[in-house]
Amino acid sequence: MNQAMGAGGGAGQRVVLDGDYGIDDALALLYLAGTGAVQICAVGTVHGNTGAVQAAHNALHLLGLAGLPGVPVAVGAHRPLAQAVKYSSLVHGDDGMGGQAVPPTPDRRPVVESAAEQLVRIARAHPGECSVLATGPLTNLALALQLEPELPRLVSRVVVMGGAVVEPGNVSPLGEANVVHDPEAADLVLSADWPVTLVTVDATMRTWLEPSDLARLEAVTSPAGVFVRDALRHYVRFYDEHYGRRSCPLHDPTAAVVLVDPTAATEVLTRPVRVELRGEHTRGTTVVDRRDNRGPGRPEGTAVRLVLGVDRDRVVREVLDGVLAVS
Ligand code: BDR
Ligand code: CA
């Protein structure tokens, strides 16, 4: 990363990251830092893989490793809008980093404003110039929409990792984790009038690492690379035990690649999406209105750009090249 580019690295579009800083969120952040393709303005954290405070410590540590210690990190929502909080500790470890998290240091503290306040402040300061990459439950984005109803006109686009269309869910038969962890927030964000790209598990479950990719990571020597390699061992162990593959899919990094280069998406469907909020077996399901009907009963609502497929080899190569570029 070229230090001359500024505190957030990168010369391109301004991006506010919002995530639940687990292992694949970490890969996404390091990839973005390593490519230098975007300027990371700020990071917000949210409950999900771990607690929002732990996620902030993880993000601060990652930014330090990536040579971006000046990027502010704001702690966001500790719990979903309308249900009890639940962490994905089995997948990411209690600390979100597969047991690799380091204790916070006095010089690396989150800022005092909340993640939603931070997002609104930055969007107001740079109207139309900032993108948002959300890689966790959407609670902070929903709160930001409530704080500033004009937010959809202040941010340029929102890229979210979440949802399942044809692919089965990963935490319930039809539900993907980031949506299931806060269905009310996801419904608000997906139905708001702003340009949302939803990078679904239909796409991300096609980005598993091959043995040669894992071997590339095993050979790293940089502090950032070693940190993420050790955390990934936990992640791979989870997928080995639960999916029978000594590998892992790149959920959040795939969304980050699509943010940087939308042409990495090879299969896209643009349709309104709502989130099921009541079903006993379907709460947290993304309901895509795929009807082509143009008459009465036609699909209504904001069209979401659903990414259902990506160029797998390109995504994996981009992510590994970016992560390994962090010195
Ligand atoms: C999503 O859930 C989390 O566990 C991952 O970090 C990713 O954001 C995948 O469904
Ligand atoms: Ca995540």
Side-chain angles (χ1 to χ4, degrees), residues 21 45 50-60 75 94-97 101-102 104:
Y21 287 88
T45 67
T50 184
V53 172
Q54 180 61 50
H57 293 317
N58 295 344
L60 285 162
V75 177
D94 288 338
D95 62 1
M97 288 289 128
V102 298

Side-chain angles (χ1 to χ4, degrees), residues 20 22 24-25 49 135-136 178 252:
D20 52 351
D24 60 329
D25 303 76
N49 292 329
T135 59
N178 288 339
D252 294 340

